Amino acid sequence: MSRIITFLGKADTRHTTVAIATAKWFAQYSQRVLLVTHNPNPSAELLLETSLKATPQEIAPNLSVVQLQATVLLEQVWEEVKKWLALYLPPSVKMEIYSGEVIILPGFDSLLSFNALRKYYQSEDYDVIIYDGRGDLESLRMLGIPNIADWYFRRFREALESLDLSKIADSIGGPLASALLSANMDTRKVQDAIVQIQDWIAKSVAVVGDAKRLSAYLVTTDEPAAIAEARWLWGSAQQVDLRVSGVLAYQSYEAANKTELEQAFAPLKVNLIPALQKHNWEPLLEALPDFKTIPHVPQPLTVDLVQRQVQVFLPGFSKSQVKLTQLGTELTVEAGDQRRNIVLPDELRNQPVTGGKFEEPYLVISF
Amino acid sequence: MSRIITFLGKADTRHTTVAIATAKWFAQYSQRVLLVTHNPNPSAELLLETSLKATPQEIAPNLSVVQLQATVLLEQVWEEVKKWLALYLPPSVKMEIYSGEVIILPGFDSLLSFNALRKYYQSEDYDVIIYDGRGDLESLRMLGIPNIADWYFRRFREALESLDLSKIADSIGGPLASALLSANMDTRKVQDAIVQIQDWIAKSVAVVGDAKRLSAYLVTTDEPAAIAEARWLWGSAQQVDLRVSGVLAYQSYEAANKTELEQAFAPLKVNLIPALQKHNWEPLLEALPDFKTIPHVPQPLTVDLVQRQVQVFLPGFSKSQVKLTQLGTELTVEAGDQRRNIVLPDELRNQPVTGGKFEEPYLVISF
């Protein structure tokens, strides 16, 4: 089983330095490591003393590195999309759009990176994948894709099913209406696709929610702004069901105040990482935590059926930054500029919320 | 007429410091300034000594600040989307999806931020909008939206028009087919929408391509990795038709080597910006360029009809990083992990390319 480790915090040189150190840490234990970076990343090229490519290349024993490039990834995905479309479109229909001319839209980078990570993970070619992404809110949105897909799929399917087709047909009227009602669709193909998508979503949701398979470390310094941002990202990570396993505090010029950091990030363990000097990675590798031991951290969501309560772990936020809403059948937690629609167990589904109380770091919802 | 200024380079504290200094610079000349930042941005809050809100608030004479929050923006946009859908869907059809439960997908942040910037720009409430975005490739993708929309609209319309409807109808068969062919669509409404969209795209493309209305400054230090990244972004900016007007080199600890910087970014002007000390902004304001003078910089694209040549300005790239392809009717330049489909004048359209040569910093395409 592969394992993915990523980092949250300001995505500057420190971030990349810590990612490389972590990759080297695993490689020294004979684990097959793939370090995944983005385009552009001159810091990584300078630190690794090599130029990065869009396909994995081994740069040291057990250590491979790849730089994700949206244009290259799009080319690969486009071929798959075309095959998939061919399954559903009649053979006479051809969209003459070449992959080479498709322009990359905002969000494509995240979707393509997610897809690339998923493939490397499933390939089983690597024991550990170190993902040196942007480490910001957009990274969380990317890692949130499985849970987002889960919700969209469930919710829009409900919405579509609740549409009264005969009403639509009436208001459109004419031959299109009667056609809609009698259309001879290939329902087996559509059903197969739905089952496949559901299976994919369920598997991905399981990976994201399992710290043994995916976990994040916060990267910070002892500067107040860096700490504040790392704390914000820590809370935000809970919203996509991502486990944060520890804090790596990079020392830039002075020794960081460890006690202060430990208070800011309790109950997480804080490791102080010395600055890299003259390409000597040894001190950094020694300062890293033992990644083989996966620390126990609070669950993002705990359901207590006896007390009829749901506890949402939201560290790093204050009361004013957390919002709870119940609209229709959905219970939504808004925090960290993200929304999480909570899937309740049958016993609590569609029950009115009797109370929502935020006491750092928990939001307690009572039914 | 409003003006937007943004920054490209590593989006850390320096970036925000330079953005705030620029906002203060304009405010001192009695220009109405809006500083637009993102969520989260504890650095901005510490530097401005205030907490940021999702609606503009005046924090000093002529100086307002707003922090874009995707969840809030989505709420506003959702109302508009619903109104728009109501125009096209029959009144009996209701999708019971509340804005409050819609989860934010990758790319939404960019789309929502773009829309917010567009509104502030059109409101004419501000003379200058200082946009402290991420300053990376994703920012460029965001600013590239008008040109992307232009291409998608043009290209997919062509593709759709080239579809042979009767062929599709034949292969689907039955009543749906005859309905498709005889459907009584409200073509006037659809035509109106198309004209509106085209108008919007044309206006936005004009704003992006005009340095008097939108320009970017590179933010760097004298570290090799920072310079390399800023150069890469400089070239990438050309791909979305964005003008880069100058370089702001932030001095962290030692005096930066100005000559080296000027060589790396010629013909751009380089201004050295001192580090902020004890909230004293004066030295920074004095070090900034005169933003009122808009420097002449090379055009991203120059067409020479006599020589039958197109010159593409692509600074910061080497030969191996630039790719030219001609597929179907499209001429595509790939560089900086972006694609630019070049719209040629009638004289050169559909003509075979006889040569493509990259001599830093120009790609010269001959017909």
Side-chain angles (χ1 to χ4, degrees), chain B residues 121-137:
Chain B
Y121 179 83
Q122 286 179 343
S123 75
E124 304 265 343
D125 290 342
Y126 306 98
D127 300 309
V128 185
I129 294 167
I130 306 294
Y131 177 53
D132 177 28
R134 274 204 292 253
D136 60 3
L137 178 59

Side-chain angles (χ1 to χ4, degrees), chain B residues 189-202:
Chain B
K189 259 191 202 169
V190 174
Q191 278 301 330
D192 282 357
I194 289 177
V195 169
Q196 262 185 36
I197 294 172
Q198 277 178 321
D199 178 61
W200 175 87
I201 291 174

Side-chain angles (χ1 to χ4, degrees), chain B residues 62-122:
Chain B
N62 295 314
L63 179 55
S64 297
V65 61
V66 64
Q67 180 181 49
L68 301 182
Q69 294 178 10
T71 39
V72 176
L73 294 174
L74 183 63
E75 205 108 353
Q76 295 159 358
V77 167
W78 190 253
E79 289 308 308
E80 292 169 35
V81 169
K82 279 210 294 202
K83 271 185 221 153
W84 190 85
L85 278 178
L87 272 179
Y88 296 93
L89 286 178
S92 57
V93 180
K94 281 209 181 69
M95 295 279 276
E96 287 300 339
I97 305 261
Y98 301 88
S99 84
E101 53 168 327
V102 174
I103 296 181
I104 292 157
L105 290 170
F108 272 31
D109 297 75
S110 291
L111 296 172
L112 291 167
S113 303
F114 179 84
N115 192 48
L117 274 181
R118 186 181 65 81
K119 285 195 169 175
Y120 288 127
Y121 179 83
Q122 286 179 343

Side-chain angles (χ1 to χ4, degrees), chain B residues 107-171:
Chain B
F108 272 31
D109 297 75
S110 291
L111 296 172
L112 291 167
S113 303
F114 179 84
N115 192 48
L117 274 181
R118 186 181 65 81
K119 285 195 169 175
Y120 288 127
Y121 179 83
Q122 286 179 343
S123 75
E124 304 265 343
D125 290 342
Y126 306 98
D127 300 309
V128 185
I129 294 167
I130 306 294
Y131 177 53
D132 177 28
R134 274 204 292 253
D136 60 3
L137 178 59
E138 182 69 17
S139 287
L140 290 177
R141 299 229 197 274
M142 187 197 92
L143 294 171
I145 288 174
N147 282 294
I148 292 171
D150 188 35
W151 176 81
Y152 267 92
F153 195 74
R154 184 168 53 81
R155 192 67 184 91
F156 279 86
R157 226 182 138 193
E158 279 171 21
L160 287 172
E161 278 167 4
S162 75
L163 285 179
D164 190 338
L165 262 187
S166 62
K167 259 196 189 169
I168 301 180
D170 278 353
S171 56

Side-chain angles (χ1 to χ4, degrees), chain A residues 10-13 39-40 42-43 46 68-71 74-75 90 92-111 134 136-138 141-142 145 148 151-152 155-156 159-160 163 167-168 171-172 175-176 179-180 182-183 223-225 228-229 232 253 327-328 330 332 334 337-339 341, chain B residues 10-13 39-40 42-43 46 68-71 74-75 90 92-111 134 136-138 141-142 145 148 151-152 155-156 159-160 163 167-168 171-172 175-176 179-180 182-183 223-225 228-229 232 253 327-328 330 332 334 337-339 341:
Chain A
K10 285 186 179 289
D12 57 3
T13 321
N39 190 20
S43 304
L46 288 168
L68 301 182
Q69 295 179 11
T71 39
L74 183 63
E75 206 108 353
S92 56
V93 180
K94 281 210 181 69
M95 295 279 275
E96 286 300 339
I97 305 260
Y98 301 89
S99 85
E101 53 167 327
V102 174
I103 296 181
I104 292 157
L105 290 170
F108 272 31
D109 297 74
S110 291
L111 296 172
R134 275 204 292 253
D136 60 3
L137 179 58
E138 181 68 17
R141 299 228 197 274
M142 186 197 93
I145 288 174
I148 292 170
W151 177 80
Y152 267 92
R155 193 66 185 90
F156 279 85
L160 287 172
L163 285 179
K167 260 197 190 167
I168 302 180
S171 56
I172 299 174
L176 187 55
L180 266 176
S182 64
E223 291 160 40
E229 186 149 344
W232 194 93
Y253 294 89
L327 285 164
E330 294 288 334
T332 308
E334 201 172 300
D337 218 358
Q338 289 179 104
R339 285 171 178 157
N341 294 313
Chain B
K10 284 186 180 290
D12 57 4
T13 321
N39 190 20
S43 304
L46 288 167
L68 301 182
Q69 294 178 10
T71 39
L74 183 63
E75 205 108 353
S92 57
V93 180
K94 281 209 181 69
M95 295 279 276
E96 287 300 339
I97 305 261
Y98 301 88
S99 84
E101 53 168 327
V102 174
I103 296 181
I104 292 157
L105 290 170
F108 272 31
D109 297 75
S110 291
L111 296 172
R134 274 204 292 253
D136 60 3
L137 178 59
E138 182 69 17
R141 299 229 197 274
M142 187 197 92
I145 288 174
I148 292 171
W151 176 81
Y152 267 92
R155 192 67 184 91
F156 279 86
L160 287 172
L163 285 179
K167 259 196 189 169
I168 301 180
S171 56
I172 299 175
L176 186 56
L180 265 177
S182 63
E223 290 160 40
E229 186 149 344
W232 194 93
Y253 294 89
L327 285 165
E330 295 287 334
T332 308
E334 201 172 300
D337 217 358
Q338 289 179 104
R339 285 172 180 156
N341 294 313

